[in-house]
Amino acid sequence: MLAIDAGNSKTDVALIAPDGQVTGTARAGGFHPARLGPAGAVDVLAGAVAEVLGGAAGRPHPVAHVAACLANVDLPVEEEQLAAELHRRGWAPSVDVRNDTFAILRAGIAEPRGVAVVCGTGINCVGMLPDGRTARFPALGRISGDWGGGWGLVEEAIWHAARAEDGRGGPTALARTLPAHFDLASVYALIEGLHLKRISEVQCYQLAPVVFATAADGDPVARSLVDRLADEVVVMVTVALDRLGLRDAEVPVLLGGGLLAARHPQLDGRVQALLAERAPRAVPRVVTAKPVLGAALLGLDHTGAPPDAHARVRAYFGFPSAG
């Protein structure tokens, strides 16, 4: 079985034997089907797939199934397009394509039952039940009602900083701390750098920790943004729980992605407090395992592998327990 976790910045591929033994791993670049098209996006990870399928001695391995958890694949029609492209490559006769948030969810649970939120560059939430039912969101940005993740947090912080500097808004230390990160003297210089592409998108995302640090120093505006992010995480969780009929059940809630995994005290504390209030039987847990583990477990679920196979692949990726 071939497990693929394709994220915005990197792709991990693992070849898994029926008994859960990991027989090969490889890494490729980020996965961007909206920009490259399905074929171009799959081309990016094809080298890593070829590496693990070739094996150490260059002998091909027969593969029965591909379990692919892919970033930027948010709609069922996109899953169908990518599944068709993976089928066309002939890597395996059976292909299952899901959004990459499902990898975080499956990595942190003992059975396919629970809800997960990923809050990194962007934000997304999914839930699943053993009978195959799922709860999910389009996660296409503001056009689908989303707010949050690193991009949303930084964009909102720059908005407040710009208005603080030119007088349209109230004061905030963000007007000083954000440009200072790039050794710039003003928010105006920061805006100019972003607009003229002298500051890249990757560099801009680096401002997220600055927002958290400014909040930790007591700035009211920065603190309000962190609180808003926590509120968004929890509202996605509770809506997913309601859709699956799990609001009153003891159920794992997995928190993943760079911003949640960092355990920023204000964000983490508010998420935990709001969950305790709104879904008191939910069991929150931060997942730091490589998401390719989740893709591997979904593949083993599909092939009907025994529990010891699941345990073996968990042990390989250093995340032996699940909620």
Side-chain angles (χ1 to χ4, degrees):
M1 184 269 296
L2 195 64
I4 301 172
D5 172 71
N8 282 291
S9 60
K10 59 180 173 57
T11 295
D12 284 315
V13 177
L15 188 63
I16 316 295
D19 64 356
Q21 180 182 355
V22 179
T23 62
T25 62
R27 176 163 286 187
F31 193 78
H32 299 281
R35 187 172 72 228
L36 302 175
V42 173
D43 283 342
V44 172
L45 58 87
V49 172
E51 183 178 341
V52 298
L53 291 184
R59 294 189 301 272
H61 293 264
V63 177
H65 179 66
V66 174
C69 295
L70 310 176
N72 304 304
V73 180
D74 297 295
L75 303 176
V77 64
E78 294 173 320
E79 292 177 345
E80 293 169 7
Q81 291 170 348
L82 268 299
E85 180 61 29
L86 290 172
H87 272 296
R88 191 181 70 80
R89 301 297 171 118
W91 293 332
S94 173
V95 172
D96 179 35
V97 171
R98 301 170 185 250
N99 179 268
D100 61 336
T101 309
F102 282 99
I104 292 290
L105 174 57
R106 188 62 185 93
I109 54 180
E111 62 173 346
R113 178 178 179 271
V115 170
V117 176
V118 174
C119 188
T121 305
I123 189 169
N124 201 355
C125 175
V126 298
M128 65 191 306
L129 291 173
D131 64 9
R133 285 181 291 157
T134 63
R136 58 189 300 182
F137 301 87
L140 299 174
R142 292 188 64 84
I143 63 170
S144 58
D146 309 322
W147 184 88
W151 287 120
L153 186 69
V154 168
E155 184 180 51
E156 199 76 11
I158 294 173
W159 186 89
H160 283 283
R163 294 173 70 88
E165 184 171 273
D166 67 20
R168 287 177 291 173
T172 172
L174 291 167
R176 170 181 53 81
T177 60
L178 295 179
H181 178 76
F182 296 111
D183 294 323
L184 298 174
S186 66
V187 181
Y188 182 91
L190 173 60
I191 294 167
E192 181 180 272
L194 291 169
H195 179 67
L196 299 178
K197 309 299 184 185
R198 292 197 293 262
I199 299 173
S200 70
E201 290 184 354
V202 173
Q203 289 174 307
C204 185
Y205 178 66
Q206 294 170 2
L207 290 173
V210 178
V211 178
F212 282 104
T214 307
D217 287 339
D219 180 72
V221 172
R223 291 189 64 82
S224 72
L225 296 180
V226 175
D227 282 347
R228 181 181 174 188
L229 181 57
D231 294 348
E232 190 69 13
V233 168
V234 174
V235 76
M236 294 183 90
V237 168
T238 54
V239 169
L241 289 172
D242 285 341
R243 288 181 182 176
L244 296 174
L246 295 174
R247 176 76 80 102
D248 298 321
E250 185 173 321
V251 62
V253 172
L254 291 308
L255 307 173
L259 299 189
L260 290 172
R263 305 298 294 264
H264 297 287
Q266 183 189 344
L267 178 63
D268 189 61
R270 185 170 177 85
V271 167
Q272 301 284 343
L274 289 175
L275 280 175
E277 173 188 328
R278 300 177 189 176
R281 298 197 66 193
V283 183
R285 185 183 187 196
V286 174
V287 176
T288 57
K290 288 184 177 181
V292 71
L293 166 61
L297 292 170
L298 286 168
L300 292 175
D301 291 340
H302 178 87
T303 59
D308 62 339
H310 290 73
R312 190 171 288 112
V313 77
R314 282 189 178 281
Y316 178 90
F317 287 107
F319 199 74
S321 62

